[in-house]
């Protein structure tokens, strides 16, 4: 099977902070191992030497990535690659890609991978627009473009059961019936970040380190984490390590949303909170994770998946989490909390009780086993068949 993978990259200056690129970089070689011929069209190459690469422009903003597809370029690319399947990592572009397939005379299957949802659903079924995609009231046009993209796809792939439920519900409200086109295909874990839980870091005299390795956008619920960080930092046995994943960002990005810089400064001012950077180095990132005792999930309501949570769990780090979205689906219910007081109690148990920690370290590690790239690639190809 010849697969053309169309990938938008929102963080070309720090690829290690771009989950879409990391997933493609892990998945493309696994697809090649399974016998597929893969070409990645993106601003930066992903995969290995067996994978083809077509360089595309970096979109100036996240909105350009959704509303400025170059159909002439797509037609030329499709004619050159002659794919059996095209994967649109930016679902909002699927209608434009379908147009290009038509013009190119291609009968390739079009699959949309819902890497990021521009909405979430509350427990009561209320649809909420994602605030990160609602500048100048663009949230509803983005949602409409997303659902239009779903309608243009032959397959729709989502990370989780939670995402499948949300996508189906949003599509149905806008009169798009996904029928048998929907597939749950999780993202691959990074095998470089896998460690047996038996080697997990013990609590030292300085305290147990809790790792927060998520992007610091406001829409990730970072302000709620800042409040929790104050409570955790007051514990005599907890220390926090917070990842600065972005470093210095481009003006185009900070102009739209400077919350990561503001949140980072607020966290840096707290006692017992260490701001760290992996500098884009996966070995350094692994070592930073290895020095922690447990992880902390984000407070992001519309969370259909979290690469950073999987990174912690694959390293044998139990993750405490607010009871939200996919987090509540995936993380052990014993480690989910509803209040800051419950979160502090869980963190202190993981810090002080070796038996409790060992049990949840094993469960965390085991929860990622099905996300090995080879297994994910097999599910991917099955969805594309």
């Amino acid at each position: 099977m010849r697969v053309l993978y169309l990938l938008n990259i929102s963080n070309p200056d720090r690829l290690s902070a771009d989950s879409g690129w990391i997933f493609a970089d892990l998945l493309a070689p696994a697809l090649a191992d399974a016998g597929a011929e893969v070409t990645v069209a993106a601003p930066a190459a992903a995969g290995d030497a067996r994978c083809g690469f077509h360089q595309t422009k970096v979109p100036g903003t996240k909105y350009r990535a959704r509303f400025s597809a170059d159909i002439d370029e797509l037609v030329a690319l499709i004619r050159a690659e002659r794919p059996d399947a095209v994967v649109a990592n930016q679902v909002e572009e699927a209608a434009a890609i379908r147009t290009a397939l038509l013009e190119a005379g291609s009968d390739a299957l079009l699959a949309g991978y819902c890497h990021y949802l521009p909405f979430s659903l509350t427990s009561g079924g209320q649809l909420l627009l994602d605030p990160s995609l609602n500048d100048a009231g663009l949230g509803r046009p983005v949602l409409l473009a997303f659902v239009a993209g779903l309608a243009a796809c032959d397959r729709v792939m989502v990370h989780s059961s939670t995402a499948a439920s949300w996508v189906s519900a949003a599509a149905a409200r806008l009169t798009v019936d996904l029928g048998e086109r929907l597939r749950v295909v999780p993202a691959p874990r990074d095998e470089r970040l896998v460690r047996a839980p038996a080697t997990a870091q013990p609590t030292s005299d300085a305290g147990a380190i809790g790792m927060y390795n998520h992007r610091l956008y406001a829409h990730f619920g970072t302000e709620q984490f800042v409040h929790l960080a104050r409570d955790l930092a007051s514990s005599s046995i907890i220390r926090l390590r917070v990842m600065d994943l972005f470093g210095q960002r481009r003006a185009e990005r900070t102009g739209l949303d400077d919350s990561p810089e503001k949140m980072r400064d607020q966290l840096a001012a707290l006692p017992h909170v260490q701001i760290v950077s992996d500098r884009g180095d996966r070995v350094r990132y692994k070592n930073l994770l290895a020095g922690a005792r447990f992880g902390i999930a984000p407070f992001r309501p519309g969370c259909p998946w979290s690469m950073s949570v999987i990174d912690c769990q694959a390293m044998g780090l139990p993750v405490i989490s607010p009871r939200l979205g996919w987090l509540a689906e995936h993380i052990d219910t014993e480690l989910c909390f509803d209040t800051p007081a419950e979160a502090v109690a869980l963190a202190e148990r993981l810090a002080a009780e070796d038996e409790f920690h060992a049990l949840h370290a094993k469960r965390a590690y085991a929860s990622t086993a099905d996300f090995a790239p080879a297994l994910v690639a097999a599910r991917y190809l099955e969805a594309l068949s």
Side-chain angles (χ1 to χ4, degrees):
M1 177 183 290
R2 296 172 63 89
V3 179
L4 175 59
Y5 196 104
L6 303 177
L7 173 65
N8 167 50
I9 294 175
S10 59
N11 300 296
D13 307 319
R14 186 67 68 90
L15 291 174
S16 63
D18 193 293
S19 56
W21 179 84
I22 288 176
F23 292 157
D25 194 50
L26 298 170
L27 181 63
L31 290 172
D33 288 340
E37 297 180 47
V38 183
T39 295
V40 177
D48 59 23
R50 296 168 297 168
C51 303
F53 171 56
H54 175 83
Q55 188 164 24
T56 57
K57 292 183 295 185
V58 177
T61 69
K62 53 195 168 185
Y63 297 106
R64 281 181 176 263
R66 289 162 169 82
F67 295 124
S68 61
D70 186 333
I71 294 180
D72 288 336
E73 181 183 29
L74 287 169
V75 170
L77 182 58
I78 290 164
R79 285 175 173 162
E81 294 297 329
R82 295 178 291 105
D84 300 304
V86 178
V87 177
N89 199 58
Q90 195 76 61
V91 174
E92 293 90 340
E93 290 192 327
I97 298 166
R98 174 63 76 193
T99 301
L101 288 168
L102 176 66
E103 290 190 15
S106 172
D107 60 359
L109 178 143
L110 175 57
Y113 199 96
C114 300
H115 178 65
Y116 194 100
L117 304 183
F119 63 90
S120 62
L121 288 183
T122 67
S123 57
Q126 181 183 5
L127 190 149
L128 302 177
L129 297 175
D130 190 314
S132 75
L133 290 167
N134 198 23
D135 298 284
L138 281 166
R140 188 160 295 279
V142 170
L143 173 63
L144 293 172
F146 180 87
V147 175
L150 297 178
C153 289
D154 299 304
R155 299 284 188 279
V156 174
M157 294 186 282
V158 294
H159 294 92
S160 62
S161 296
T162 296
S165 174
W166 288 354
V167 168
S168 295
R173 292 184 189 192
L174 293 169
T175 70
V176 173
D177 181 8
L178 296 179
E180 300 299 316
R181 292 180 287 153
L182 188 64
R183 303 285 191 278
V184 175
V185 182
R189 73 180 182 184
D190 190 338
E191 296 297 295
R192 295 167 294 184
L193 304 176
V194 176
R195 180 189 65 169
T199 60
Q201 183 76 11
T203 300
S204 69
D205 292 340
I209 294 175
M211 170 63 76
Y212 189 83
N213 57 331
H214 310 282
R215 291 182 283 185
L216 299 177
Y217 289 120
H219 66 273
F220 269 59
T222 312
E223 189 168 2
Q224 289 172 270
F225 171 68
V226 171
H227 293 309
L228 176 60
R230 292 193 180 99
D231 294 336
L232 289 171
S234 67
S235 169
S236 61
I237 58 173
I238 302 293
R239 300 293 181 267
L240 295 179
R241 178 174 288 169
V242 176
M243 292 289 300
D244 174 17
L245 293 169
F246 289 138
Q248 187 69 32
R249 294 191 302 153
R250 290 179 291 123
E252 294 92 338
R253 293 179 59 76
T254 57
L256 280 178
D257 185 353
D258 63 355
S259 62
E261 288 75 19
K262 291 180 177 178
M263 296 291 109
R264 181 184 60 200
D265 292 344
Q266 289 183 35
L267 287 161
L270 297 177
H272 308 307
V273 175
Q274 178 190 23
I275 306 296
V276 297
S277 172
D278 63 5
R279 307 188 193 110
D281 184 339
R282 296 303 268 181
V283 174
R284 177 174 169 81
Y285 178 50
K286 181 176 183 178
N287 290 335
L288 289 168
L289 291 178
R293 175 81 168 180
F294 63 93
I296 304 168
F299 286 78
R300 180 183 166 200
C303 188
W305 189 263
S306 171
M307 179 183 71
S308 298
V309 165
I310 300 301
D311 291 345
C312 286
Q313 292 179 319
M315 289 285 290
L317 300 184
V319 177
I320 63 172
S321 170
R323 211 178 303 274
L324 295 170
W326 166 79
L327 300 167
E329 170 193 332
H330 174 72
I331 292 176
D332 193 302
T333 186
E334 285 189 282
L335 296 183
C336 291
F337 58 82
D338 294 300
T339 67
E342 291 175 1
V344 173
L346 283 171
E348 291 185 334
R349 284 197 71 186
L350 289 171
E353 299 179 24
D354 289 340
E355 185 175 347
F356 182 72
H357 180 276
L359 169 66
H360 285 288
K362 290 177 181 177
R363 289 180 180 177
Y365 177 79
S367 74
T368 71
D370 289 342
F371 308 146
L375 298 177
V376 172
R379 294 176 68 168
Y380 218 96
L381 292 175
E382 181 182 3
L384 296 179
S385 63

